[in-house]
Amino acid sequence: MNIQRVKPVRTTEIIVAVLILWPLAAAFLCYVVRAERLRRKLVPLTGALLTAAALLLSTRIPFDLGVEATLEKVIDVLVLSLDIFLLGAILFIGLRHRHRLISILAILQLVLLGLTDFQSFPAPRPNPVIHCDALSLLLVLIVSIVGSVICIQGLAYMKAHEDHLHLAASRQHRFFAVMLLFLSAMNGLVLADKLPHLYFFFELTTICSYFLIAHDQTPESVTNALRALWINSLGGLALVAAVFWFARFHGVTGLRQFNADDFRSAVWLLPLALMCLAGFTKAAQFPFQGWLLGAMVAPTPVSALLHSSTMVKAGVYLVLRIAPLFQDTFLGLCVALFGAFGFLAAAALALGQRNGKRVLAYSTISNLGLMFACAGIGIPMALTAAVILLLFHAVTKALLFLSVGAIEQRIDSRDIEDMRGLYARMPLTALITVAGVLFMIMPPFGLLVGKWMAMEAAARNLTALLMLALGSALTVMYWARWAGTLMSDPLGGRFRPESQPVLTWLALGILSLGVVILSVSVPWLYDALLQAAAGEVPAYSVHDGTIENPTGSFSVFPLCLAAAFGFILALGAVRHARQARIVLPYLSGVQQSEPGVFTGPMDQAVKSEAGNYYFAFLFGEERLTGWINAGALLLLTLLIGGTLR
C-alpha cells in the first residue's frame, strides 16, 4: 500500500489536530484557569469546534496521513515516553492505595513495552500515522457531537451537584479538564493507525475513567474507581501483549499492515484474541462488568460519557476494526457466542433491577454484547448491524442518562418505584425519558433496525440466534415496565410546571431530535456511509426509504409517518386528559380522605400501594451473577485457547 497525502494536506491535518489537540489544550486551560466564567465559554467553544471538525472530516474520507520519517520517529518517541508516564502514574496510584493487582499489571505492561523496540522490526507493509475510514469517522462524529453535548449539559448539572454536596471548594476545573481530555483520547484512539499510538490512547481512556469515577472522593467512589482501573489495566495488558506479539514475531506495527490472508494460523489469531479480550474489558462484558456498574456512583455526565460515546465504545471499535480478519474462523465463532451470551445475560439481570441507573448499565452491557455478536458473525450484514447499533445506542443512551440524571436531582432517588407517576411532577422530562425508552425498542427507530439486521445475520448460527431472540424479548419487558411506571398513577392530567436549566433542555432537545432525524435517515445513512464500514459487498439495497434484502424488507419511511401520526394522537389525548375529572379508584372499602387509604376489615385503615414485579427470585443479581460470570469465563477460555489448536 502506498501512503499518499490527501489534497489539500494542510486542511486535513488541521482538522485532525483540532479533533485531538484542541480538547487537550482546552483541558489544560480548564485545569489551570479555574474561573467559572472561562469554563462556561471554553466547554461550549470546544464542543462547537469538535462538531465542526468532525463534520468537515466527513467530506474527506477515506484518507491516510503520513509524515516524514524523521518526524515520525519523533512522534513515536514522544508517544512511547507518554506511555511510560501513564503507566508510571497508574503504578503510583496502585502503590498509594496499596492495590497490589494494579501495581503488578502496570509493571507487566512496562516490561512488555520496554521489550518492544518498534524501530528494530522491518515492517512488511508501510502504514500511516493517521487513518480515517467510515468506521473511524462514525466514532469521531459520536465522540465529538454526543460527547460535547454531554459536557455542555454537565455545566448545569455539576453546579447543582456541588451545591447538593455543600463543597467548600469547587472541583469543576478538574472534572471538566478530565472530561475534555477523554474526548481527545477517544478521537486519537479511533484515528490512530499505528498500534503503539492506539495503545497509548487506550490507556489514556483508562486513567481518565479512574479520575472521573473517583471525582466525589467518597470511599465508595474511590473503591469503584480502583476496580475500574485494575479491570481496564488487565485489558491494557492484553492489548500491549498483542502489540508486542505483532511487532516481535511479524514486524507489524500498524492496523493497515494487516492482511486477512495471514490470519489463518494460531501465531496470528492469538494476538487477535488478546485484542478482543482488551475490547471486552473496556466494554465491561462479563465477567468484567463490575467496573461499569461501579461507575454509577460518579456524577451523571460521567455515566453518560462512559456509556454512550467514549469508554465502552472504544472496546467495540477495537473489535469491529479487526473483525474482518477473523471472519469464518473458530475465533469468530467464539466472539459471536460470547457476545450473544452477554446480550442475553445482561438483559436478564436488567429485568431484576429497580435501580434506574443499574438498568441503564445492564442495558449498555447487553447492547454491546449484541455488537460483539455481530462482529463475531462477521458477514457484511452483521457488521452493518453493529455499526447501526453503535450509532443509535450512543445517542439514545446519552439521552436516557441525562434524563435520569435530571430526575435523580429532582426526586433524590434512582429507584424506579419512586418515579411512579413522574409525569405529573416533571411532565416534559418524563415524556423525554419515555421517548428514549421507545427509541430503544420500537419501530421505526434505528436500534430496532439494527437488531433486525443482527438476527437475520445470525440465522446460520442457531445458538446465537436463540440467545439474541430471548434477550430481545427480555429487553422489551424491562423497558416497557419502566416507561409504564413513569406514566402511571396519579391520574387525571394535573401537571405541575417544571423548570430545568437551559443547558439541560438544550442537551435533551438536541439528542431527542438527533434520534428522530437519524431514524428517518437510516436508509440513506446506510447507503452513504454505514455500508462502507461493513465492507464492499452490499448487504442490503435501498429503495424509496425501504431497506431490502433477498429475504425481506424494512419500510422505514412509512413507519416514521405512522409514528408521527401516533405522536399527534398522543398530544390530543394529553390535552383531553388535562380536562378530565379525577376519580379515585375503588379500593374494596370506604375511601378515606388520604389518597390511597381505605377502610378495611375490622375498620382498620389500609393503605394501597402499586409496584412492579422484578422477579428477583429468577433474575436477581445474587442468584445469577456468579453463574453468568462462570459461563463468561468458560467462553473466554474457549476463545483464547481455541486459537492454540
Side-chain angles (χ1 to χ4, degrees):
M1 180 193 71
N2 294 322
I3 301 172
Q4 298 180 351
R5 294 176 177 267
V6 295
K7 303 295 184 181
V9 172
R10 182 174 176 78
T11 304
T12 304
E13 289 177 342
I14 290 174
I15 292 172
V16 172
V18 168
L19 289 169
I20 300 175
L21 299 181
W22 174 257
L24 179 64
F28 178 77
L29 285 175
C30 268
Y31 189 80
V32 174
V33 184
R34 304 185 179 187
E36 182 180 358
R37 182 178 300 177
L38 172 69
R39 189 164 55 245
R40 285 189 164 270
K41 294 179 179 178
L42 187 59
V43 172
L45 174 63
T46 300
L49 287 175
L50 289 179
T51 299
L55 293 174
L56 285 173
L57 197 69
S58 65
T59 65
R60 297 171 177 270
I61 62 165
F63 68 83
D64 293 332
L65 285 180
V67 296
E68 296 179 357
T70 302
L71 180 58
E72 185 173 356
K73 288 184 179 180
V74 171
I75 293 174
D76 289 343
V77 171
L78 176 62
V79 170
L80 180 61
S81 301
L82 290 173
D83 259 331
I84 294 172
F85 174 78
L86 276 182
L87 292 173
I90 293 173
L91 176 60
F92 173 77
I93 293 171
L95 294 174
R96 178 186 175 189
H97 291 278
R98 299 180 180 179
H99 200 295
R100 293 182 181 178
L101 186 54
I102 291 175
S103 302
I104 292 171
L105 290 171
I107 291 171
L108 290 175
Q109 290 181 76
L110 282 168
V111 170
L112 283 175
L113 202 61
L115 291 175
T116 309
D117 183 3
F118 300 105
Q119 304 298 328
S120 65
F121 307 115
R125 290 172 288 276
N127 66 285
V129 175
I130 297 293
H131 170 70
C132 185
D133 58 9
L135 181 59
S136 301
L137 174 64
L138 181 66
L139 267 296
V140 168
L141 289 168
I142 289 172
V143 171
S144 300
I145 299 176
V146 179
S148 295
V149 169
I150 293 169
C151 290
I152 292 171
Q153 190 272 345
L155 291 170
Y157 181 93
M158 290 306 295
K159 184 178 186 306
H161 180 74
E162 291 193 340
D163 289 344
H164 178 73
L165 295 178
H166 305 293
L167 295 180
S170 174
R171 304 189 192 120
Q172 289 189 49
H173 66 287
R174 184 176 64 189
F175 178 84
F176 285 101
V178 181
M179 291 280 279
L180 295 176
L181 181 60
F182 221 140
L183 301 185
S184 172
M186 276 299 300
N187 279 335
L189 187 151
V190 300
L191 290 173
D193 186 80
K194 302 190 74 172
L195 291 174
H197 300 178
L198 186 148
Y199 168 71
F200 163 70
F201 289 114
F202 188 91
E203 285 300 283
L204 187 55
T205 63
T206 293
I207 201 164
C208 284
S209 67
Y210 165 78
F211 286 117
L212 288 175
I213 296 170
H215 174 76
D216 285 340
Q217 292 298 304
T218 63
E220 183 183 12
S221 66
V222 172
T223 299
N224 290 341
L226 290 172
R227 182 196 301 161
L229 187 58
W230 80 255
I231 290 177
N232 284 285
S233 292
L234 179 63
L237 178 61
L239 182 57
V240 76
V243 172
F244 168 79
W245 186 288
F246 280 127
R248 178 68 180 83
F249 298 108
H250 305 295
V252 171
T253 59
L255 294 170
R256 297 285 281 172
Q257 295 174 358
F258 288 147
N259 188 330
D261 294 335
D262 296 332
F263 291 89
R264 292 296 179 269
S265 63
V267 293
W268 284 90
L269 285 177
L270 180 59
L272 279 190
L274 292 174
M275 292 181 75
C276 289
L277 177 61
F280 296 154
T281 58
K282 191 68 75 174
Q285 294 298 287
F286 297 103
F288 311 113
Q289 78 281 8
W291 79 260
L292 192 63
L293 297 172
M296 296 300 100
V297 302
T300 294
V302 176
S303 303
L305 198 68
L306 294 179
H307 285 250
S308 64
S309 60
T310 56
M311 192 76 160
V312 296
K313 295 301 188 292
V316 175
Y317 167 79
L318 185 62
V319 176
L320 281 177
R321 174 59 69 194
I322 61 175
L325 302 176
F326 55 72
Q327 181 182 352
D328 295 325
T329 66
F330 184 74
L331 175 59
L333 174 63
C334 290
V335 171
L337 292 176
F338 181 82
F341 175 79
F343 175 65
L344 172 59
L349 287 170
L351 190 58
Q353 293 298 311
R354 58 186 291 164
N355 181 312
K357 280 198 171 182
R358 290 185 84 83
V359 172
L360 293 176
Y362 278 123
S363 169
T364 294
I365 297 168
S366 180
N367 281 280
L368 297 176
L370 180 57
M371 297 175 208
F372 285 127
C374 292
I377 294 168
I379 61 176
M381 185 190 303
L383 297 180
T384 304
V387 174
I388 290 177
L389 290 166
L390 184 69
L391 171 62
F392 282 93
H393 179 268
V395 183
T396 307
K397 194 51 67 75
L399 173 65
L400 283 169
F401 261 107
L402 295 185
S403 299
V404 172
I407 292 170
E408 182 187 2
Q409 282 197 328
R410 180 65 58 87
I411 69 174
D412 198 26
S413 175
R414 301 175 179 178
D415 195 320
I416 292 174
E417 295 301 324
D418 293 336
M419 301 178 192
R420 183 170 297 279
L422 186 71
Y423 79 97
R425 291 172 286 168
M426 302 176 68
L428 190 53
T429 303
L431 288 173
I432 291 174
T433 307
V434 171
V437 170
L438 296 180
F439 294 156
M440 295 291 293
I441 60 175
M442 291 288 288
F445 304 111
L447 274 163
L448 189 65
V449 176
K451 288 181 180 179
W452 169 63
M453 291 182 177
M455 289 188 184
E456 280 206 73
R460 63 178 185 174
N461 187 329
L462 181 60
T463 304
L465 179 61
L466 289 175
M467 287 192 285
L468 295 185
L470 185 55
S472 295
L474 296 178
T475 298
V476 173
M477 288 179 66
Y478 66 74
W479 282 129
R481 179 181 62 195
W482 193 353
T485 301
L486 290 170
M487 304 302 292
S488 64
D489 180 71
L491 306 173
R494 298 297 188 263
F495 306 122
R496 300 177 188 174
E498 178 187 2
S499 63
Q500 292 284 0
V502 174
L503 291 179
T504 298
W505 288 135
L506 180 65
L508 296 179
I510 289 174
L511 293 172
S512 299
L513 185 62
V515 176
V516 172
I517 293 175
L518 288 173
S519 297
V520 174
S521 308
V522 161
W524 297 276
L525 281 173
Y526 169 79
D527 206 31
L529 175 63
L530 301 181
Q531 180 176 303
E536 297 180 357
V537 181
Y540 294 86
S541 59
V542 177
H543 299 288
D544 299 325
T546 298
I547 304 176
E548 300 177 347
N549 71 359
T551 61
S553 63
F554 198 104
S555 299
V556 176
F557 193 59
L559 286 171
C560 288
L561 290 177
F565 181 69
F567 178 72
I568 294 172
L569 289 179
L571 289 179
V574 170
R575 185 177 180 182
H576 179 72
R578 297 187 64 179
Q579 302 171 356
R581 180 171 62 92
I582 297 179
V583 178
L584 296 174
Y586 176 65
L587 298 176
S588 302
V590 178
Q591 181 73 50
Q592 296 190 7
S593 58
E594 182 182 351
V597 179
F598 66 96
T599 301
M602 307 295 293
D603 290 329
Q604 297 296 313
V606 179
K607 183 173 179 58
S608 65
E609 294 182 349
N612 292 303
Y613 285 108
Y614 292 92
F615 306 104
F617 63 95
L618 283 177
F619 302 113
E621 288 178 305
E622 297 80 3
R623 177 174 291 273
L624 287 184
T625 300
W627 292 103
I628 289 172
N629 286 341
L633 280 172
L634 180 62
L635 288 172
L636 279 178
T637 303
L638 186 65
L639 186 148
I640 301 293
T643 61
L644 301 176
R645 295 184 308 165

